[in-house]
Amino acid sequence: MTDPRFLRRPRLNMLLVLFLGLATAVAWLSVVYLPTPLVNRMMREDISREAEHWRTRVLHALENGSIAFETGQISAADADWLEEVTTLSDIYRFKLFTAEGRVFWSSRPSDIGTVNEKPYFQSIVAQGQKYYVANMKPMDEVDGHLHAAADHHLPGDMLCVAEIYTPVMRDGRFVGAIEFYTDITAMGHTFTDRLRTIFLGLSSISLILLVMTSVVIRRAGRTQLRVLRQRAEKEREMMEDQMRLAREVRLLGELNEWLQSSRSLDELFEMVGRFMSHILPESEGSVYVYSNSRDVLMGAASWNGGHHCDHIRAEDCWGLRRGRTYSFGASEVDFPCGHSEAQDERPSFCFPVLAHGETVGLLHLKAKTGISLETFRSSQKLAQMCAEQISLAIANVQMRDQLHDRSIRDPLTGLYNRRHLTETLRRQLERAAREDRALAILSVDVDHFKRFNDTHGHDAGDMVLRAVGAVLEQICDGDETACRMGGEEFMLLLPELGREAAALRAEALRGAIERISVRYGEKTLPRITVSIGLAVHPEDGTMPQQLMKAADDALYDAKARGRNQVAIAGEEDPNPQEATAMLLPATPEEPDGRHAAA
């Protein structure tokens, strides 16, 4: 008789072969058919997010925001900014539509004035929904710079172009739309290759596991089963390591992207705290940054239960003193840093935060309670990479703040300049009109300033201007803003002050400047006096130019009345003939540009 076990073995082998063949076929079919729909969906979601991002940027960049879509008009500055979009982004062409579908701006000038009469514009876009379509187009029809340097493209090649409409809403109404064009050929190839690689990897892993399983079943040996388990465990660990590494790389990339887009150090450190709690969950952390005087480091942020001092000195940290990363708890003999908690023996790292060869701060990490030294030390390399990204972001924000401050500050007095005054006055007037609040503006001019320059030299004149600027800066409180308009002319914005209160402040300012004593060399300069013109919103004007002109006219009146006094816009000169006679002798010897009587 035939041994039944002999009959079962060939049948089992055949079933295994059939099963492996079926699994392989399914895997290869996945490689061929699954990537395309998945890639299309991924690209559509990615392009939609990018279009939403650019819609927000365009609305913020336009001077009138969404109102420009209602009027169908933009300023020259808006046009200049829009022209740069196709150069600095992946967008090679885009258009701005009114609610009727008329193009009022386009990166391709020939499109301006055309009307989109396609059904989807009114049925989809005008209803507040995005409209997305991807088509293959010859490379010759694609505007822009993105494909110009691609050597592997020929003039007749076809490119996959994504076209997406994003609606622009204002108070719940559809006021227009923005259409973006971008070349997604390379993106599609990249996504497809990655998905195919993933499917191939998964199919290979499944095939290997099935083969190993068939070997174990055929041999039915405990040794082979143990090897399989060990192998599976190693693969699981490797997969976990790869997934952990992929997650760390992704978080590092997101951290860098967010940090580079931060607008202030406070916003940057808030991002650092949130990301570091995910990137290094086994560590308590804190970050410090040098003060402007560079004598102390200010505590900026902490996470995962960590704490930071209000300020520390560089000599309190061994990492800063030694100029390299300090690892506490790694040596047989070591010493804790002064900024760390006393009687805390947990291992810790101190990373000096360096940018462009200069130390800008400190990153301090400490192992959480219960975390082993080996586990904590394994995170050192990742923590070092985080410190490098944080350092560059801090340096960029500080440099951007310095450049911005220089662009709005007068280098001689340190006060704000005309550009900042104009922008601030516009915002304050909008707020005053919206909240029905008062707003006063003082126009200040140093009397007989030309005499200081002619008699004592320009250095003495600069000292006078700095002294006046110091008084203006001291008298400012809260949202009040002092600016130097140029020469010996200054302006002071006083939000929420009416005519009477502003007049008292103006008189106090005039008296404070009159009491200044400025020494130049071994002598004291003559007494400094100023003439002040006062104008108030809305009585004297609702627009910046109107209010500034009213304050200047009042300043002329103060000059005409004999200088060293305050004149209020709209008030009549009590003795115009006497004031004019007092002014006439000073006119020939003191031409000062804008104020002819100064």
Side-chain angles (χ1 to χ4, degrees):
M1 295 182 60
T2 305
D3 188 354
R5 289 178 296 179
F6 178 79
L7 296 176
R8 286 198 297 268
R9 182 170 297 176
R11 294 175 181 175
L12 179 60
N13 292 339
M14 186 177 294
L15 289 175
L16 287 174
V17 171
L18 291 175
F19 183 73
L20 290 174
L22 180 61
T24 303
V26 171
W28 281 106
L29 288 174
S30 300
V31 172
V32 175
Y33 293 103
L34 282 182
T36 300
L38 290 177
V39 166
N40 291 338
R41 181 175 180 180
M42 292 168 61
M43 289 195 299
R44 177 167 184 166
E45 294 176 353
D46 188 78
I47 296 300
S48 296
R49 288 193 299 268
E50 189 68 13
E52 186 67 21
H53 170 72
W54 274 104
R55 182 188 70 85
T56 303
R57 289 195 62 180
V58 169
L59 291 179
H60 286 175
L62 294 179
E63 291 183 359
N64 296 325
S66 58
I67 299 177
F69 291 82
E70 293 182 337
T71 61
Q73 296 180 352
I74 60 174
S75 66
D78 292 339
D80 292 340
W81 185 89
L82 292 171
E83 289 291 344
E84 294 294 330
V85 172
T86 57
T87 304
L88 303 178
S89 68
D90 293 335
I91 298 170
Y92 74 81
R93 178 156 54 101
F94 72 104
K95 309 174 186 177
L96 305 184
F97 292 86
T98 62
E100 296 78 19
R102 181 178 60 84
V103 178
F104 67 92
W105 188 91
S106 174
S107 58
R108 179 185 286 181
S110 60
D111 293 337
I112 298 177
T114 60
V115 179
N116 190 333
E117 298 178 351
K118 302 285 182 65
Y120 61 79
F121 190 86
Q122 295 299 329
S123 62
I124 298 178
V125 181
Q127 302 303 317
Q129 302 177 13
K130 296 186 182 67
Y131 177 77
Y132 171 89
V133 63
N135 293 316
M136 300 299 296
K137 294 186 178 182
M139 192 176 71
D140 296 339
E141 296 182 9
V142 177
D143 297 335
H145 61 283
L146 300 178
H147 61 277
D151 295 335
H152 57 281
H153 283 312
L154 297 176
D157 288 350
M158 300 295 290
L159 298 178
C160 185
V161 174
E163 178 182 354
I164 184 167
Y165 290 79
T166 57
V168 177
M169 312 297 290
R170 175 176 172 83
D171 299 330
R173 298 180 296 103
F174 174 73
V175 297
I178 306 176
E179 181 186 14
F180 298 97
Y181 293 81
T182 183
D183 180 11
I184 59 174
T185 307
M187 182 189 300
H189 292 164
T190 301
F191 284 178
T192 302
D193 292 340
R194 289 178 180 176
L195 285 176
R196 285 178 176 170
T197 302
I198 292 173
F199 286 134
L200 284 173
L202 293 175
S203 63
S204 301
I205 292 174
S206 63
L207 185 59
I208 292 173
L209 292 177
L210 287 173
V211 171
M212 293 174 63
T213 304
S214 66
V215 173
V216 172
I217 293 175
R218 290 179 61 187
R219 295 187 178 182
R222 294 181 179 179
T223 303
Q224 288 77 9
L225 182 60
R226 186 164 53 252
V227 170
L228 177 61
R229 289 174 179 174
Q230 292 175 353
R231 207 175 279 179
E233 181 66 20
K234 289 181 179 180
E235 290 181 356
R236 185 184 64 81
E237 293 176 357
M238 290 176 59
M239 185 67 70
E240 290 179 353
D241 291 341
Q242 292 177 357
M243 294 177 64
R244 177 180 55 81
L245 180 61
R247 176 178 176 273
E248 292 173 354
V249 171
R250 176 177 57 81
L251 287 175
L252 282 174
E254 293 177 356
L255 172 63
N256 180 64
E257 181 180 353
W258 281 102
L259 292 183
Q260 295 304 322
S261 63
S262 60
R263 296 177 296 179
S264 64
L265 285 178
D266 292 337
E267 189 178 55
L268 183 145
F269 291 129
E270 181 182 357
M271 295 176 181
V272 168
R274 296 186 63 178
F275 269 94
M276 293 297 287
S277 62
H278 290 271
I279 296 176
L280 297 171
E282 299 89 1
S283 305
E284 300 176 0
S286 57
V287 64
Y288 296 84
V289 64
Y290 266 107
S291 63
N292 293 333
S293 59
R294 294 193 63 80
D295 55 344
V296 296
L297 290 94
M298 311 301 295
S302 57
W303 55 89
N304 287 346
H307 80 286
H308 60 271
C309 305
D310 292 336
H311 63 272
I312 63 173
R313 298 189 177 274
E315 54 266 25
D316 294 336
C317 177
W318 289 107
L320 294 176
R321 292 172 64 177
R322 300 166 75 184
R324 57 186 175 87
T325 301
Y326 175 62
S327 178
F328 174 73
S331 304
E332 185 175 350
V333 178
D334 49 20
F335 303 93
C337 293
H339 60 84
S340 183
E341 296 180 2
Q343 308 300 325
D344 192 345
E345 299 299 325
R346 288 179 293 168
S348 63
F349 291 125
C350 289
F351 297 96
V353 179
L354 305 174
H356 308 302
E358 181 181 6
T359 303
V360 297
L362 170 69
L363 175 63
H364 177 64
L365 298 176
K366 181 172 292 186
K368 279 188 173 181
T369 304
I371 300 299
S372 65
L373 176 62
E374 180 181 358
T375 302
F376 179 68
R377 287 181 59 82
S378 65
S379 64
Q380 180 176 356
K381 184 176 180 180
L382 178 60
Q384 184 69 52
M385 295 170 62
C386 294
E388 293 172 358
Q389 293 196 4
I390 294 171
S391 66
L392 293 176
I394 291 175
N396 290 339
V397 172
Q398 290 177 338
M399 184 179 299
R400 187 163 58 243
D401 290 344
Q402 292 174 0
L403 293 175
H404 178 263
D405 190 64
R406 291 178 182 177
S407 69
I408 62 174
R409 291 281 184 181
D410 171 53
L412 178 63
T413 63
L415 300 179
Y416 291 111
N417 56 21
R418 177 187 292 270
R419 170 188 174 186
H420 182 77
L421 172 77
T422 304
E423 296 175 354
T424 305
L425 179 58
R426 183 181 295 108
R427 292 195 301 268
Q428 294 286 5
L429 285 174
E430 291 176 355
R431 178 184 176 186
R434 184 172 60 253
E435 300 178 5
D436 194 19
R437 296 185 178 183
L439 173 65
I441 181 171
L442 303 182
S443 181
V444 182
D445 190 278
V446 180
D447 295 330
H448 302 296
F449 179 73
K450 189 174 184 297
R451 293 180 182 175
F452 286 100
N453 285 335
D454 294 343
T455 306
H456 305 283
H458 290 282
D459 290 341
D462 290 344
M463 292 183 65
V464 170
L465 293 177
R466 281 194 290 267
V468 173
V471 174
L472 285 170
E473 189 172 12
Q474 291 173 2
I475 203 172
C476 288
D477 183 24
D479 292 336
E480 297 174 355
T481 305
C483 306
R484 181 188 178 198
M485 303 299 288
E488 69 274 20
E489 302 167 8
F490 300 85
M491 275 198 172
L492 185 64
L493 300 184
L494 302 175
E496 302 184 16
L497 286 188
R499 189 182 299 273
E500 292 77 9
L504 293 176
R505 290 291 297 278
E507 183 60 32
L509 172 62
R510 186 202 62 77
I513 294 176
E514 189 177 19
R515 292 190 293 272
I516 296 175
S517 178
V518 179
R519 289 190 60 82
Y520 178 65
E522 298 180 356
K523 59 183 177 181
T524 301
L525 296 177
R527 184 185 64 165
I528 304 171
T529 63
V530 294
S531 300
I532 302 176
L534 167 63
V536 181
H537 168 274
E539 292 88 343
D540 302 319
T542 58
M543 301 296 291
Q545 295 80 3
Q546 295 174 345
L547 204 59
M548 292 171 66
K549 185 178 185 304
D552 284 342
D553 291 342
L555 175 62
Y556 295 148
D557 292 341
K559 292 283 187 180
R561 297 174 190 177
R563 298 180 176 83
N564 192 22
Q565 57 184 281
V566 178
I568 302 175
E571 290 189 354
E572 295 294 335
D573 187 350
N575 193 350
Q577 294 181 351
E578 179 181 351
T580 303
M582 295 176 63
L583 179 64
L584 287 176
T587 303
E589 64 181 37
E590 290 190 17
D592 62 351
R594 186 167 67 97
H595 297 302

